[in-house]
Amino acid sequence: MKKTLLAATIMGSLVMTCGVQAQTTPDGFKLQQVLIMSRHNLRAPLANNGSVLEQSTPQKWPEWDVPGGQLTTKGGVLEVYMGHYMREWLAQQGMVTSGECPASDAVYAYANSLQRTVATAQFFITGAFPGCDVPVHHQEKMGTMDPTFNPVITDNSETFSKTATTAMDKERQQMKLAESYQLLEKIVDYKDSPSCKEKQTCSLTGPKDSFSAKYQEEPGVSGPLKVGNSLVDAFTLQYYEGFPMDQVAWGEIKTDEQWRVLSRLKNGYQDSLFTSPEVARNVAAPLVKYIDKALVKDADKTPKITLLVGHDSNIGSLLTALDFKPYELHDQNERTPIGGKLVFQRWHDEKGNRDLMKIEYVYQSTKQIRNADKLTLEAPPQRVTLALNGCPVDADGFCPMDKFSEVMNEAVK
């Protein structure tokens, strides 16, 4: 496991403040442990010119400052802001002391070994613990997927492959995407695209999707859903990065409703591939085991604060594998937003002498990302309390730790 330190400190005006607003916590509750499962922050589109993007429109795509898939400079800034906010919140709860570096065994940061995930972790640590010697752990060989974060099929039986592809197709069939495809075709001028002129594929509503679940590969799909996801992902990233609105989808997306309609394709892609129970339990198994060990099996040996940085596929499959109840993220079109974080929190109720678990989705709204809003306790990111089907929550979002342990034990079977 390699340790990487971020040398540059880009704190700017992010000075630790005093007198921040207190977040309401039940009397006698003390935060004991936090595990943050984060998606990487803002990156350039994965599908570069010459691939799906270029084939799907006669229009010219805008240039990015970094190669496809890499974290952008703005993505780093956004993650510093999130780290700063989380530091303020942790200090408010007595987990760290403002103005001091945490003890060497108090924080553990672990990222998938890709540029965008390692860099995200580094920038978060810079925002949360500026000037402190907090390494980011990752595999020695960059550009390769770490087994903990690699959402690949691990069952090589033909029976499982058929079960998985059937489950993915079933997820897809439950979605109503015709309106989304029709809007997308109009925006990209699909009828005049190279795909239409050279391959005679002139519609996204006619062809069917074909799913795959091959051993040691990520769940896959070919067809309109893959094309739609690539295009909407590119538009979303343009908006987040702050491209002028006449360059975001060539100025063709003008309303919030259009964004919602288009985002069904991006969310549908992820939901189809990673959120059917059959697939999710398989591909999320290494991450579930890691979290179970950190929060349940070896909680007394685990650092107080753990940061994990992976991908939307990790979060999407994890939410299904642990059987979370359906959730809505307000002010966001993505179900697993860029830079969003599942924050697992172990609390101790001193009055009742019991341990509790609370899980929140902490993320930035679409406008907070585009505007690069600084985050503090007075100007926080969005926080949505989540609930597990196997661990009923009270009015404040807490569930008994023994029930959470049962959920984890069931999930690792």
Side-chain angles (χ1 to χ4, degrees), residues 51 55 193-202:
S51 61
Q55 288 293 310
S193 68
S195 180
C196 180
K197 292 185 174 181
E198 299 168 12
K199 301 178 182 178
Q200 285 70 56
T201 303
C202 301

Side-chain angles (χ1 to χ4, degrees), residues 81-363:
Y81 290 164
M82 182 64 86
H84 170 75
Y85 164 79
M86 292 300 295
R87 167 60 179 261
E88 284 192 338
W89 176 70
L90 290 168
Q92 179 191 70
Q93 304 303 333
M95 290 279 282
V96 297
T97 303
S98 294
E100 295 182 10
C101 288
S104 59
D105 61 351
V107 180
Y108 187 80
Y110 174 28
N112 189 28
S113 42
L114 301 183
Q115 184 271 349
R116 61 183 176 275
T117 43
V118 171
T120 293
Q122 292 171 334
F123 282 116
F124 180 92
I125 293 299
T126 296
F129 309 108
C132 300
D133 184 7
V134 180
V136 171
H137 301 258
H138 59 85
Q139 284 190 143
E140 181 74 27
K141 188 176 181 181
M142 288 290 289
T144 59
M145 295 290 286
D146 186 308
T148 300
F149 300 100
N150 197 6
V152 295
I153 301 294
T154 57
D155 188 325
N156 65 352
S157 69
E158 186 177 342
T159 299
F160 179 82
S161 180
K162 289 182 178 178
T163 299
T165 54
T166 299
M168 288 188 277
D169 187 63
K170 183 179 178 180
E171 289 284 332
R172 165 62 186 92
Q173 295 308 317
Q174 294 172 350
M175 303 169 189
K176 293 179 170 55
L177 300 178
E179 182 186 9
S180 303
Y181 282 129
Q182 289 165 6
L183 176 58
L184 184 59
E185 286 179 356
K186 182 179 179 182
I187 288 173
V188 300
D189 193 11
Y190 201 64
K191 67 182 186 304
D192 287 326
S193 68
S195 180
C196 180
K197 292 185 174 181
E198 299 168 12
K199 301 178 182 178
Q200 285 70 56
T201 303
C202 301
S203 173
L204 293 171
T205 55
K208 293 188 178 298
D209 295 303
S210 177
F211 293 93
S212 64
K214 297 178 181 178
Y215 180 59
Q216 290 300 311
E217 293 183 14
E218 288 192 24
V221 62
S222 59
L225 194 59
K226 182 176 182 179
V227 175
N229 173 70
S230 296
L231 292 167
V232 176
D233 180 63
F235 298 155
T236 303
L237 296 171
Q238 290 169 359
Y239 178 85
Y240 285 163
E241 182 68 11
F243 281 57
M245 287 307 296
D246 62 355
Q247 292 182 27
V248 176
W250 311 284
E252 293 296 321
I253 305 177
K254 303 179 187 301
T255 68
D256 289 342
E257 177 60 21
Q258 287 178 312
W259 278 114
R260 282 190 287 272
V261 170
L262 291 170
S263 293
R264 291 175 197 153
L265 295 172
K266 191 168 184 297
N267 293 329
Y269 174 85
Q270 185 198 48
D271 288 349
S272 294
L273 294 185
F274 295 105
T275 67
S276 66
E278 295 85 350
V279 173
R281 294 187 189 116
N282 184 270
V283 302
L287 187 58
V288 169
K289 289 178 182 177
Y290 188 98
I291 293 173
D292 176 59
K293 187 175 181 181
L295 294 176
V296 180
K297 300 280 196 303
D298 292 340
D300 57 339
K301 304 173 186 175
T302 302
K304 293 192 302 180
I305 302 163
T306 299
L307 171 69
L308 306 176
V309 183
H311 307 270
D312 52 356
S313 54
N314 295 135
I315 291 178
S317 58
L318 181 65
L319 289 167
T320 297
L322 298 185
D323 197 16
F324 277 83
K325 293 182 178 181
Y327 64 93
E328 293 290 336
L329 301 184
H330 55 82
D331 301 309
Q332 247 299 347
N333 293 317
E334 292 189 283
R335 282 178 49 75
T336 53
I338 280 281
K341 292 161 174 58
L342 297 180
V343 184
F344 294 81
Q345 309 157 35
R346 179 198 281 268
W347 294 77
H348 182 68
D349 172 14
E350 295 176 338
K351 289 184 177 180
N353 191 27
R354 58 190 183 132
D355 287 340
L356 301 161
M357 172 61 62
K358 183 174 185 178
I359 307 169
E360 292 180 283
Y361 214 135
V362 181
Y363 63 97

Side-chain angles (χ1 to χ4, degrees), residues 23-93:
Q23 184 178 339
T24 303
T25 301
D27 188 38
F29 279 38
K30 184 174 179 60
L31 185 60
Q32 295 187 315
Q33 184 186 6
V34 171
L35 184 145
I36 302 167
M37 176 62 226
S38 177
R39 182 187 176 191
H40 60 78
N41 216 297
L42 184 57
R43 57 163 171 76
L46 289 168
N48 295 317
N49 292 356
S51 61
V52 175
L53 298 187
E54 195 171 69
Q55 288 293 310
S56 300
T57 180
Q59 303 277 9
K60 180 175 173 57
W61 290 92
E63 296 292 329
W64 286 73
D65 292 337
V66 298
Q70 289 199 5
L71 194 76
T72 69
T73 300
K74 182 176 180 179
V77 172
L78 292 168
E79 200 60 33
V80 168
Y81 290 164
M82 182 64 86
H84 170 75
Y85 164 79
M86 292 300 295
R87 167 60 179 261
E88 284 192 338
W89 176 70
L90 290 168
Q92 179 191 70
Q93 304 303 333

